[in-house]
Amino acid sequence: PGKWEYLKSIGIKHIMNSRNTDFAMEIHPMTQGQGIDIVLNSLSGEFIYKSLDVLKKGGRCIEIGKIGILSQSQVHKQRPDVAYFPFDLHKIAQDHSELIFSMIHELVENIDKGYWKPLPYTVFPIHQVKDAFRYMAQAKHIGKIVISHSETSLQTVKSDGVYVITGGLGSLGLQVSRWLSQKGAKHLVLIEKNDPSDSARKILDEFQKDGIRVRIEKADVTHLQDMKKLIDTIKNSNLHLKGICHLAGILDDGVLIQQTQEQFERVMNPKIQGAWNLHTLTQDIPIDWFVCFSSLASVMGSQGQANYSAANAFLDGLAHYRRSLGLHGLSINWGPWADSGMVSRTDRRHQQRWSVNTIESETGLDILDQLLKENATQVMVAGIDWSRFFKTWQKPSPFFSNFTQKTALENPSSFIRQLHEAPFEKKYEMIEDHVYLQISNVLALPKHTRLEPRQRLFDAGIDSLMAVELKNRLELSLERQLRSTLIFDYPTIEALINYIADMLQIKPISAQQLPEQPQQSLSVSDTHDDLDDISQDDLALLLAKELAAIREGKKAG
């Protein structure tokens, strides 16, 4: 109803609620009992039958829903005088792609010419995709929600800028150099302590042929004076420093208690001292970006690489620190790249233990480009088989709580375990509380909110996306596989609670459910033989009644 004013503003005269079936009663008097010609339906259950009811003789029902599709015999049984046409739009798009393409082409052309108007839409940039899903879940939108991948005003690479790459002659450094050249960079400075290899020379020759000026700076990034001399040289040229990509790093693995101070310094200096030198020397230069190639190791740890993990963690902190100063900073916690030397060798342990998929160079560089456009600060980029990863952990860290729901099943305080341990007379109440809690979580309501039990969940604000979330939450906490149409089949809170209680073989304690009293009323003091013919459930109810009477003081303990 909150959106009806918009519909009225664009000339829609007759508006009805799709959250219930009252529309059928409203349509008949509107059409003097004749009904309507066409129904376009995407709803399920009783809505389909009500839609058939409102059709006039010879009417058509066009079905594009996915759930509860009727057979022709079912339609004929209710309305033999109408036609029912189910369409699987996904299959049509696959089988008749040319038709879909031509329709889209016609649609866009007519919108461009102003003949047609597009649906209302709300645009979210890609880095706000989480906000977009929450906005949709709250059903605040009219029309469509669009995620925009369009480039921001930030131009990643500028042809008149100088770009410095530490570790520039390594395989990954050369890949980044090639990416910069493809983006339009004409001036590259590659910092490396060692001479270029034969394969590196071939790539450098290609750069030269393409008109790209590459300067090889044989220097140590950990030496402040070396870096100061380089930065001053760039400052004194007619060019401007526009970007820094810090890739320098080495390895010296070992169990922590066997690591020496020299091992730590050897690994940490290129990462830490090198990054800090570049940071301090460029604070007064308006560079576009300052990127640190960090590692998965600083986020998830890596056996035998405490020094390497700590060094990369410093890069992560530096990116945030630079942001706090109003400077650009981006730290990317990369997983292993498919064809870069050091990372692919060191992260084989990750691949074996966690089934980490390698990152193809093209994919990694596309992600780097996108992160720069999105103005990100720290992002982990890795392809991880989470199901295999969690099998290697006896008790996953809370850090991974957003990546898995298995911890809820393994937690000794899980709902099902509490339910099993609870007194019989409390079980149904616990189910009630649990269902209300899950509904409140999905709707982002206060924890102890109680909605009207006979209110339809869809009327309460749950949409199809939330219905899936609610089903998944219940499935996880109940440790039972639930049907995908759960919320459609049991559309009210009361019906949902009763279904779950029945599934778990738990009944509410009420007078209606107590066993009929035998001719000789039973009590717990009766003989064992008298109880043999009572079912386990009825016996439990009888005992619950006896306990309730004792607690109320109606019986002696």
Side-chain angles (χ1 to χ4, degrees):
K3 301 176 182 181
W4 289 10
E5 288 304 317
Y6 170 78
L7 296 177
K8 292 174 183 176
S9 73
I10 60 173
I12 306 295
K13 184 177 180 181
H14 301 293
I15 304 169
M16 284 146 279
N17 196 334
S18 63
R19 299 287 188 178
N20 56 54
T21 58
D22 292 348
F23 65 86
M25 292 185 291
E26 298 175 49
I27 288 175
H28 283 294
M30 283 182 188
T31 60
Q32 290 77 46
Q34 294 184 23
I36 57 177
D37 296 300
I38 299 174
V39 167
L40 176 63
N41 180 65
S42 63
L43 302 172
S44 63
E46 186 64 20
F47 288 91
I48 301 179
Y49 292 101
K50 290 295 183 181
S51 295
L52 293 176
D53 283 343
V54 300
L55 284 171
K56 66 169 56 173
K57 187 174 182 179
R60 268 79 170 137
C61 181
I62 313 300
E63 175 66 79
I64 60 171
K66 292 285 188 182
I67 298 172
I69 306 299
L70 301 185
S71 66
Q72 293 301 328
S73 60
Q74 288 175 305
V75 175
H76 186 77
K77 184 177 180 181
Q78 180 173 345
R79 287 294 303 270
D81 57 322
V82 302
Y84 180 73
F85 298 99
F87 281 90
D88 186 336
L89 294 181
H90 182 258
K91 190 172 188 306
I92 291 172
Q94 286 183 320
D95 296 346
H96 305 281
S97 56
E98 300 84 0
L99 171 63
I100 299 298
F101 179 80
S102 66
M103 292 172 69
I104 292 175
H105 181 77
E106 181 186 2
L107 178 69
V108 172
E109 185 178 4
N110 281 287
I111 289 175
D112 287 342
K113 291 178 178 178
Y115 300 155
W116 298 341
K117 290 185 179 180
L119 290 170
Y121 58 90
T122 304
V123 179
F124 285 82
I126 182 66
H127 63 274
Q128 292 181 4
V129 66
K130 185 176 180 180
D131 296 332
F133 273 104
R134 178 52 59 192
Y135 186 74
M136 180 171 69
Q138 293 171 345
K140 293 180 177 180
H141 60 292
I142 293 176
K144 295 297 180 181
I145 295 174
V146 178
I147 303 300
S148 172
H149 292 263
S150 61
E151 297 185 5
T152 65
S153 59
L154 173 65
Q155 185 178 351
T156 310
V157 178
K158 297 173 182 175
S159 60
D160 60 346
V162 176
Y163 296 90
V164 173
I165 306 169
T166 69
L169 293 179
S171 59
L172 187 53
L174 290 169
Q175 289 177 43
V176 173
S177 299
R178 181 177 281 116
W179 168 75
L180 284 165
S181 68
Q182 292 170 348
K183 287 291 178 180
K186 297 297 182 183
H187 307 277
L188 304 178
V189 177
L190 310 184
I191 301 176
E192 186 66 70
K193 290 198 299 184
N194 304 315
D195 292 324
S197 64
D198 291 340
S199 59
R201 288 186 188 279
K202 290 180 181 178
I203 296 174
L204 296 174
D205 289 341
E206 293 175 12
F207 287 156
Q208 189 173 4
K209 292 176 183 177
D210 293 336
I212 299 164
R213 297 181 60 185
V214 181
R215 175 176 174 172
I216 308 299
E217 189 70 22
K218 195 173 180 181
D220 189 339
V221 72
T222 66
H223 292 170
L224 181 61
Q225 289 306 314
D226 284 359
M227 293 301 100
K228 185 176 186 305
K229 181 180 177 181
L230 172 64
I231 299 301
D232 287 344
T233 301
I234 297 173
K235 283 183 178 180
N236 295 330
S237 70
N238 293 325
L239 302 171
H240 302 285
L241 178 61
K242 288 299 179 182
I244 291 175
C245 211
H246 183 43
L247 280 72
I250 60 172
L251 294 169
D252 195 342
D253 295 357
V255 179
L256 180 59
I257 59 174
Q258 296 175 350
Q259 288 261 2
T260 65
Q261 181 174 337
E262 290 75 20
Q263 282 179 290
F264 260 83
E265 290 179 353
R266 192 178 302 120
V267 172
M268 297 180 81
N269 278 347
K271 293 273 186 183
I272 295 176
Q273 192 62 56
W276 188 253
N277 287 342
L278 294 168
H279 160 68
T280 55
L281 292 169
T282 61
Q283 288 186 79
D284 62 338
I285 302 175
I287 62 177
D288 291 337
W289 44 263
F290 188 106
V291 179
C292 295
F293 271 40
S294 182
S295 168
L296 185 66
S298 71
V299 178
M300 302 176 69
S302 181
Q303 289 182 354
Q305 292 187 324
N307 48 7
Y308 185 69
S309 300
N312 284 291
F314 176 85
L315 299 182
D316 302 339
L318 178 61
H320 290 277
Y321 176 62
R322 285 181 59 86
R323 291 288 186 174
S324 74
L325 300 176
L327 305 172
H328 183 273
L330 168 60
S331 184
I332 308 176
N333 305 104
W334 293 109
W337 285 55
D339 47 9
S340 77
M342 184 182 74
V343 179
S344 62
R345 288 198 303 273
T346 60
D347 279 3
R348 285 196 184 110
R349 59 174 58 85
H350 291 298
Q351 292 173 265
Q352 293 168 356
R353 185 180 178 192
W354 299 335
S355 189
V356 178
N357 300 317
T358 55
I359 301 168
E360 295 299 326
S361 300
E362 184 179 356
T363 301
L365 295 170
D366 284 344
I367 291 172
L368 169 61
D369 188 43
Q370 191 64 41
L371 293 178
L372 286 170
K373 290 171 182 173
E374 292 175 8
N375 206 23
T377 302
Q378 182 186 359
V379 178
M380 187 181 97
V381 180
I384 298 176
D385 183 340
W386 289 109
S387 60
R388 181 172 175 181
F389 168 78
F390 286 112
K391 287 178 182 177
T392 66
W393 292 71
Q394 294 298 322
K395 187 177 181 182
S397 163
F399 176 81
F400 300 107
S401 60
N402 288 332
F403 293 84
T404 179
Q405 296 178 324
K406 291 185 178 180
T407 51
L409 300 183
E410 296 162 357
N411 191 330
S413 61
S414 68
F415 173 71
I416 284 294
R417 187 161 298 178
Q418 293 177 37
L419 191 66
H420 287 329
E421 294 171 355
F424 179 82
E425 67 272 16
K426 293 288 185 182
K427 292 182 187 290
Y428 187 85
E429 182 181 338
M430 287 180 66
I431 293 174
E432 281 186 311
D433 292 341
H434 184 69
V435 172
Y436 274 109
L437 175 63
Q438 300 311 315
I439 293 171
S440 297
N441 287 335
V442 170
L443 289 170
L445 297 173
K447 188 174 181 180
H448 299 293
T449 301
R450 286 277 178 147
L451 301 172
E452 169 58 41
R454 295 189 179 181
Q455 182 181 19
R456 289 176 57 84
L457 290 165
F458 290 108
D459 290 338
I462 286 184
D463 59 16
S464 55
L465 183 67
M466 290 176 166
V468 174
E469 181 184 350
L470 178 57
K471 191 271 291 188
N472 289 343
R473 283 176 172 273
L474 291 171
E475 195 169 64
L476 178 71
S477 60
L478 299 174
E479 301 180 24
R480 298 285 195 283
Q481 187 171 356
L482 303 174
R483 61 185 76 181
S484 59
T485 58
L486 177 70
I487 311 305
F488 296 93
D489 297 337
Y490 303 95
T492 67
I493 301 173
E494 182 181 61
L496 185 59
I497 291 170
N498 288 335
Y499 167 73
I500 291 172
D502 188 58
M503 178 182 67
L504 298 175
Q505 298 183 336
I506 294 170
K507 299 177 182 178
I509 298 175
S510 64
Q512 288 79 15
Q513 289 178 303
L514 289 174
E516 291 184 6
Q517 294 292 328
Q519 291 181 353
Q520 292 183 339
S521 181
L522 288 173
S523 73
V524 292
S525 60
D526 287 319
T527 65
H528 177 75
D529 291 339
D530 292 328
L531 301 176
D532 282 345
D533 294 333
I534 299 180
S535 71
Q536 197 169 23
D537 285 348
D538 288 345
L539 179 58
L541 288 166
L542 179 60
L543 289 172
K545 182 185 177 187
E546 293 284 331
L547 287 169
I550 290 170
R551 287 180 180 137
E552 293 171 5
K554 295 178 182 177
K555 278 197 173 187

